[in-house]
């Protein structure tokens, strides 16, 4: 491999080429098509609940009534969504011109392929889902996803086997969170040994979708693979001791890992014949949604932070000196082999905000924003912990907890105390959910070594279109907030990575990611807009953050 900081690439993207990026998120499958100038020429999406209601999902997932915390999705739904999306997309773009396709997917989900599935031939006259079902391609029809919180026992066992939570984080990039794929696999082996025994290959959601596109097993990429607790974060290879801590004979079921910029294979004949892709179209390794958002935001400055406000809320930045902790996740940077991305993930994102909106703002974002404007910054010391789902940071069960901080203006953390109350008035509830989420983000980001205050924040995700929410973000972090021209940064990042992988393949070596977009970002889909010029972070904010972290720690200890 050539030096990652090498010279200018001598190969250009062909003028008539297109690059397709797909994003298989929790609730939908989205597509972004870029031309060689990085202008968006087509987009489309499939919403799982409404477009594919026969799978019976809510928010793209199923909750197991028989087992608390078990949350799954059907992989056949993702396969059918791919057919539906491409059928729609070919009416908007000439898929024959697509030189490369790559993708993004929700991280941490695990898919279990049955023996022989990797060699099954696909008939282009029939859809993917019925063929996979008819061939018995899956060892189980359901995949545990990132929202699953039923693996607490397995997490404890894995951490104990690896010498403790902090050592596991130092070796693999994160401790054993309940959403991590390794503990999911261990639970499958322990509780459903017949499924594990019938499994030939375990894919992540990202490599499952890539496998569909190439018509065989695609490798797990190193970036998404870092969320499994089985990859050495320094060597980027599978660790034998971590594999043994999960399940027997796991290495043969995982296969090799691959760099995110590598070619997974050429697109399968199924897609050539059914949707008129060129047979030369390359499939670049898929990766996770957060790494793809990093690519889509072209986040490269260690002084910048990105905050994605979606089904899950995430905070991430770039570093060349990762410091593993018990709270954050470290992944290889998907577009720069020299650096890493640090990620904080919160399970209670948009769905929890929507729940508070429905309860206290008459199901209206306009009323929600008006209530935010009516309340003063820091909410008079009112703190709210709102968890519709078992939370990751801090690790807390479902429940709403409200506190009033006394002596907030005293200037001394020692003199401050929190008193629990049953409920706030509607306006205070609305501000508490928004301020509380950002207080948590800032406090945990600082603990993980991310820059606080950052030079700037790039906000993405659905709620990044709400200027009132962004104003509070800027105030708590004490910096300006920018937004991307496009809110779907994951599918945009996947399209950019498709172009990057194509260039690397043409050069037969790694080329800097900046070669894809250098000199084009002002007028292309990559341009950023200043949303909030500057946030005024006061000392009271610092004190309230300490109160938030202290109270969150006490809650997690008591639970």
């Amino acid at each position: 491999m050539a030096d990652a900081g090498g010279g200018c690439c001598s190969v250009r993207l062909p003028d008539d080429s297109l690059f397709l990026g797909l994003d298989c998120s929790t609730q939908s499958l989205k597509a972004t098509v870029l031309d060689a100038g990085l202008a968006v020429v087509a987009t489309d999406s499939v919403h799982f609940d409404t477009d594919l209601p026969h799978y019976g999902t809510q928010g793209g997932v199923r909750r197991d009534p028989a087992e608390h915390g078990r949350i799954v999705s059907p992989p056949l739904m993702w396969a059918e969504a791919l057919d539906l999306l491409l059928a729609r997309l070919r009416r908007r773009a000439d898929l024959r011109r697509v030189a490369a396709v790559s993708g993004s997917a929700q991280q941490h989900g695990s898919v279990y392929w049955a023996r022989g599935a990797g060699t099954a031939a696909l008939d282009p006259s029939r859809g993917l889902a019925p063929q996979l079902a008819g061939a018995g391609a899956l060892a189980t029809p359901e995949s545990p996803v990132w929202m699953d919180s039923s693996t607490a026992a397995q997490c404890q066992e894995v951490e104990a086997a690896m010498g403790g939570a902090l050592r596991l984080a130092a070796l693999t990039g994160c401790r054993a969170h309940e959403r991590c794929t390794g503990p999911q696999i261990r639970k499958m082996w322990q509780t459903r040994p017949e499924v594990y025994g019938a499994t030939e290959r375990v894919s992540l959601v990202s490599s499952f979708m890539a496998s569909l596109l190439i018509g065989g097993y695609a490798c797990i990429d190193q970036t998404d693979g870092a969320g499994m607790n089985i990859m050495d974060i320094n060597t980027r290879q599978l660790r034998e001791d971590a594999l043994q801590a999960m399940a027997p004979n796991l290495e043969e079921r995982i296969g090799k890992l691959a760099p995110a910029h590598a070619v997974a294979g050429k697109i399968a004949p199924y897609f050539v014949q059914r949707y008129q892709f060129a047979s030369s179209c390359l499939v670049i390794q898929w990766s996770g949604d957060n790494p793809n958002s990093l690519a889509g935001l072209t986040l490269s400055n260690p002084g910048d932070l990105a905050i994605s406000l979606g089904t899950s809320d995430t905070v991430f930045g770039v570093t060349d000196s990762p410091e593993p902790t018990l709270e954050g996740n470290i992944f290889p940077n998907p577009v720069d082999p020299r650096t890493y991305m640090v990620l904080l993930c919160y399970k209670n994102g948009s769905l929890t905000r929507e729940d508070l909106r429905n309860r206290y703002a008459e199901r209206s974002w306009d009323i929600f924003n008006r209530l935010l404007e009516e309340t003063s910054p820091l909410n008079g010391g009112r703190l709210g912990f709102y968890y519709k789902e078992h939370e990751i940071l801090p690790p807390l069960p479902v429940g709403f907890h409200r506190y009033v901080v006394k002596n907030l203006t005293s200037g001394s953390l020692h003199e401050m105390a929190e008193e629990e109350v049953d409920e706030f008035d509607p306006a205070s509830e609305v501000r508490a959910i928004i301020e509380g989420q950002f207080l948590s983000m800032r406090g945990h980001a600082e603990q993980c070594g991310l820059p606080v205050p950052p030079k700037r924040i790039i906000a993405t995700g659905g709620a990044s279109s709400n200027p009132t929410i962004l104003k509070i973000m800027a105030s708590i972090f004490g910096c300006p907030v920018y937004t991307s021209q496009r809110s779907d940064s994951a599918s945009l990042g996947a399209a950019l990575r498709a172009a990057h992988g194509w260039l690397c393949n043409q050069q037969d070596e790694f080329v800097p990611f900046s070669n894809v977009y250098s000199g084009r970002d002002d007028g292309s889909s990559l341009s950023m807009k200043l949303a909030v010029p500057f946030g005024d972070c006061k000392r009271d904010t610092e004190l309230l953050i300490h109160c938030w972290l202290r109270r969150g720690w006490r809650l997690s200890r008591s639970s």
Side-chain angles (χ1 to χ4, degrees):
M1 176 180 290
D3 179 65
C8 182
C9 177
S10 60
V11 178
R12 296 177 63 251
L13 301 177
D15 290 338
D16 62 344
S17 60
L18 299 177
F19 297 90
L20 171 59
L22 301 169
D23 174 36
C24 187
S25 68
T26 310
Q27 301 186 61
S28 65
L29 180 64
K30 298 178 182 177
T32 296
V33 182
L34 299 178
D35 64 16
L38 306 188
V40 175
V41 297
T43 62
D44 217 317
S45 64
V46 171
H47 191 270
F48 300 142
D49 292 0
T50 55
D51 288 323
L52 301 170
H54 46 284
Y55 288 99
T57 59
Q58 293 184 333
V61 300
R62 298 170 177 165
R63 290 169 169 80
D64 189 344
E67 182 178 357
H68 179 70
R70 182 172 180 266
I71 300 178
V72 299
S73 289
L76 291 180
M77 177 180 71
W78 303 326
E80 186 171 345
L82 180 58
D83 267 328
L84 180 57
L85 181 61
L86 293 178
R88 293 176 176 177
L89 196 63
R90 67 177 175 180
R91 297 194 291 265
R92 301 177 181 271
D94 183 359
L95 299 184
R96 294 172 297 182
R97 295 168 52 199
V98 175
V101 54
S102 188
S104 153
Q106 56 173 300
Q107 296 188 256
H108 308 297
S110 50
V111 182
Y112 301 81
W113 293 95
R115 298 193 181 280
T119 58
L122 294 172
D123 180 355
S125 68
R126 301 172 57 217
L128 289 170
Q131 291 190 76
L132 294 175
L138 300 175
T140 175
E142 294 180 323
S143 292
V145 294
W146 66 273
M147 296 174 70
D148 184 271
S149 59
S150 65
T151 59
Q154 288 74 27
C155 289
Q156 293 174 4
E157 293 166 359
V158 168
E159 290 181 346
M162 294 296 291
L166 188 57
R167 183 172 185 271
L168 180 63
L171 293 173
T172 69
C174 68
R175 68 176 303 172
H177 298 289
E178 290 179 324
R179 68 184 183 276
C180 288
T181 321
Q184 286 180 2
I185 296 170
R186 180 171 179 80
K187 182 186 174 187
M188 188 67 73
W189 167 63
Q190 290 179 333
T191 63
R192 301 180 67 189
E194 73 286 355
V195 170
Y196 186 78
T199 296
E200 181 174 68
R201 179 64 66 98
V202 178
S203 288
L204 301 182
V205 183
S206 56
S207 59
F208 169 77
M209 298 297 288
S211 297
L212 295 179
L213 287 174
I214 66 172
Y217 295 140
C219 294
I220 292 172
D221 90 289
Q222 294 167 347
T223 299
D224 209 3
M228 302 179 74
N229 287 134
I230 61 175
M231 187 192 84
D232 190 297
I233 195 63
N234 294 311
T235 66
R236 306 187 185 190
Q237 300 298 319
L238 298 175
R239 290 189 61 91
E240 182 61 31
D241 53 354
L243 289 164
Q244 292 178 357
M246 301 301 171
N249 304 314
L250 181 55
E251 184 172 5
E252 65 186 43
R253 290 171 167 84
I254 296 296
K256 300 294 184 181
L257 305 180
H261 63 271
V263 174
K266 289 187 178 180
I267 200 159
Y270 174 90
F271 299 95
V272 174
Q273 297 176 46
R274 189 176 177 94
Y275 300 109
Q276 288 74 58
F277 280 90
S279 59
S280 60
C281 176
L282 299 180
V283 178
I284 306 303
Q285 288 288 153
W286 283 48
S287 192
D289 49 3
N290 293 297
N292 276 280
S293 287
L294 180 145
L297 298 173
T298 62
L299 191 70
S300 57
N301 188 333
D304 291 344
L305 280 184
I307 296 181
S308 176
L309 301 174
T311 306
S312 62
D313 286 345
T314 55
V315 182
F316 51 90
V318 175
T319 180
D320 53 10
S321 301
E323 298 180 5
T325 69
L326 295 181
E327 296 179 326
N329 293 66
I330 295 173
F331 302 99
N333 186 334
V335 293
D336 183 357
R338 300 170 304 175
T339 60
Y340 297 81
M341 66 176 291
V342 179
L343 171 74
L344 301 172
C345 182
Y346 299 84
K347 190 178 291 187
N348 289 269
S350 62
L351 298 181
T352 304
R353 285 187 289 272
E354 290 169 9
D355 184 61
L356 270 290
R357 177 204 63 185
N358 296 342
R359 292 182 187 218
Y360 299 106
E362 302 176 30
R363 311 182 75 87
S364 165
W365 285 117
D366 289 338
I367 296 175
F368 186 95
N369 289 343
R370 178 167 54 79
L371 293 175
L372 279 177
E373 296 284 6
E374 289 176 358
T375 48
S376 60
L378 304 186
N379 211 18
R382 297 176 181 85
L383 294 177
F385 294 77
Y386 300 93
Y387 303 130
K388 281 176 63 65
E389 304 288 348
H390 188 108
E391 186 50 85
I392 302 166
L393 285 179
L396 285 171
V398 172
F400 290 180
H401 306 273
R402 303 168 178 87
Y403 300 89
V404 177
V405 179
K406 298 182 178 180
N407 302 321
L408 176 62
T409 59
S410 66
S412 169
L413 181 63
H414 178 72
E415 298 177 17
M416 297 169 67
E418 310 97 45
E419 177 185 357
E420 188 165 9
V421 298
D422 293 332
E423 196 170 20
F424 300 140
D425 61 276
S428 295
E429 294 277 4
V430 165
R431 180 166 281 272
I433 176 66
I434 299 301
E435 283 194 342
Q437 289 177 330
F438 293 146
L439 287 170
S440 181
M441 290 177 188
R442 174 169 169 164
H444 289 121
E446 191 167 15
Q447 289 184 338
C448 289
L450 288 171
V452 175
K455 294 180 179 177
R456 64 172 180 167
I457 290 173
I458 302 173
T460 185
S464 66
S465 62
N466 188 321
T468 308
I469 290 177
L470 295 187
K471 182 178 178 181
I472 295 176
M473 178 190 292
S475 176
I476 288 177
F477 277 87
C479 68
V481 174
Y482 289 76
T483 56
S484 172
Q485 180 175 310
R486 301 190 57 80
S487 60
D488 50 341
S489 58
S491 64
L492 173 61
L496 291 169
R497 288 185 49 253
H500 181 234
W502 187 91
L503 285 176
C504 292
N505 183 68
Q506 291 294 307
Q507 289 286 94
D508 198 26
E509 63 182 10
F510 180 86
V511 299
F513 185 58
S514 59
N515 287 3
V516 176
Y517 59 83
S518 179
R520 312 182 202 188
D521 50 344
D522 289 340
S524 72
S525 57
L526 306 181
S527 59
M528 299 292 170
K529 175 184 177 183
L530 179 62
V532 182
F534 185 73
D536 183 16
C537 180
K538 301 179 181 179
R539 173 170 168 75
D540 288 350
T541 303
E542 303 282 350
L543 293 173
L544 207 57
I545 289 171
H546 285 295
C547 283
W548 175 274
L549 294 174
R550 179 174 65 184
R551 173 50 60 183
W553 182 82
R554 290 174 180 171
L555 279 172
S556 64
R557 294 284 291 180
S558 64
S559 65

